[in-house]
Amino acid sequence: MKIIMLGAPGAGKGTQAKMVAEKYHIPHISTGDIFRANIKNGTKLGMEAKEYMDKGLLVPDELTVKILLDRVAQEDCQGGYVLDGFPRTIPQAEVLDRALAELGDAIDYAVNVDVPDENIVNRMSGRRACLSCGATYHMVHIPPKKEGVCDTCGQPLVLRDDDKPETVKNRLGVYHEQTQPLIDFYEKKGVLKTVDGTQDMKDVFQAIAAILG
Ligand code: AP5
Ligand code: MG
C-alpha cells in the first residue's frame, strides 16, 4: 500500500504517519526528518536545506526529489510506504507519478489531514521533537513520560527551529500557495480522502484506518 499524507504544517501528518506505518508494517518516510537528520549530522545537503527551512521556505525540488526517489527504491519499500511531507509541489507529485508509472504502479491513497490555520500556531508552539529518532510530542496534548526526554530513545527533546510563530506563519503561506493545489491533483486521480484533523489524535487515526481498511 502506497500512501501520501497531505496537510498543513502541524496538521498531524507525522503523528498519523507513524501510526499508519506501525499498523500496516510499512516504512514511514518524512522528507522533513531526512533533512533534519542531515542538518544534525552537518552534511552538505543539511547545510543547503537549513537555509530554506529556517525561513519557512520549501527546499528546492532538485534537492528533494532525488532523495525521495532513492529512498523509495530501497528494499524495505517493496511492500509500500507512507510518505509524510512529500510531495509538496505539483512538480514533485508529477515526478513521483512518473516514477511509479514506469513500474506499472500508482499511489493508492492521498490522505488529507484537514486542520484550519487558527489551530496550527498553537499546536506548533507546544510541539517538542526528538532529532534522534523523529518522535514528536506536544507539551499539553501528547506529553512525554519524563519532561524534555524522548520516550523512545531517551534523547533530549527540542523546539524545532522552524516552529517559532513568525516562521510558522510563513510556512502556512507557502503551504496554501504551493502545496494545497495537490488536494485537487489527487482528487482528480480519485485517490483523495479527507479526514477531520481537529479531533483527538486517536479519533483521527480511527478515521484513517477505516479508509485504509
Ligand atoms: P516537515 O518536517 O514536513 O514539516 P511540516 O509539513 O511543516 O509539518 P510538520 O512536521 O510541522 O507537521 P505535521 O503535520 O507532521 O504535524 P505533527 O504530527 O508534528 O518539513 C519541514 C521543512 O522541511 C519544510 O518547511 C521545508 O522547508 C522542508 N521540506 C520537507 N519536505 C519537503 C519537500 N517535499 N519539498 C520541499 N521542502 C521540504 O503535529 C504537530 C503538533 O501537534 C505536535 O506537537 C503533535 O504532537 C500535535 N498533534 C498532532 N495531532 C494532534 C491532534 N489530533 N490533536 C492535538 N495535537 C496534535
Ligand atoms: Mg512532520
Side-chain angles (χ1 to χ4, degrees):
M1 189 151 49
K2 298 184 178 62
I3 306 159
I4 291 172
M5 304 298 300
L6 293 175
K13 300 181 296 296
T15 303
Q16 297 299 328
K18 278 193 193 75
M19 295 194 271
V20 168
E22 216 165 278
K23 174 162 177 168
Y24 297 93
H25 308 290
I26 49 178
H28 165 210
I29 302 174
S30 156
T31 36
D33 284 353
I34 294 173
F35 289 138
R36 280 184 289 277
N38 275 275
I39 293 172
K40 187 163 176 263
N41 295 329
T43 68
K44 185 167 171 285
L45 169 71
M47 286 184 315
E48 282 184 61
K50 185 170 167 49
E51 268 187 49
Y52 298 92
M53 290 170 73
D54 283 354
K55 294 185 190 127
L57 300 173
L58 294 185
V59 177
D61 287 347
E62 304 84 80
L63 288 179
T64 311
V65 162
K66 186 174 180 316
I67 289 169
L68 192 279
L69 292 184
D70 284 352
R71 179 66 190 88
V72 297
Q74 286 172 23
E75 189 66 33
D76 64 332
C77 290
Q78 294 304 309
Y81 41 78
V82 50
L83 300 184
D84 158 19
F86 187 100
R88 250 192 163 80
T89 62
I90 296 280
Q92 287 182 11
E94 288 171 343
V95 169
L96 177 64
D97 240 31
R98 275 200 299 276
L100 286 172
E102 275 170 25
L103 304 168
D105 208 345
I107 290 296
D108 298 296
Y109 296 102
V111 178
N112 176 29
V113 183
D114 188 29
V115 176
D117 288 10
E118 305 85 84
N119 304 33
I120 298 280
V121 179
N122 175 17
R123 274 197 191 181
M124 304 299 236
S125 56
R127 171 163 60 184
R128 293 296 178 272
C130 174
L131 297 183
S132 281
C133 74
T136 299
Y137 302 86
H138 189 281
M139 279 157 54
V140 179
H141 306 300
I142 307 156
K145 292 196 184 81
K146 185 169 172 219
E147 199 185 319
V149 178
C150 180
D151 290 351
T152 315
C153 72
Q155 293 297 307
L157 300 176
V158 297
L159 177 71
R160 267 169 46 178
D161 284 342
D162 59 349
D163 277 351
K164 299 182 192 95
E166 262 323 292
T167 317
V168 170
K169 279 184 203 142
N170 285 347
R171 286 163 63 197
L172 278 171
V174 166
Y175 166 76
H176 289 300
E177 201 175 299
Q178 302 194 52
T179 307
Q180 211 171 10
L182 292 177
I183 293 177
D184 263 5
F185 181 93
Y186 287 109
E187 171 92 83
K188 285 192 186 120
K189 290 188 178 296
V191 295
L192 184 79
K193 305 282 176 190
T194 296
V195 296
D196 175 3
T198 64
Q199 310 170 83
D200 186 87
M201 73 178 221
K202 290 194 185 67
D203 296 328
V204 180
F205 183 63
Q206 231 172 37
I208 294 174
I211 291 163
L212 303 181

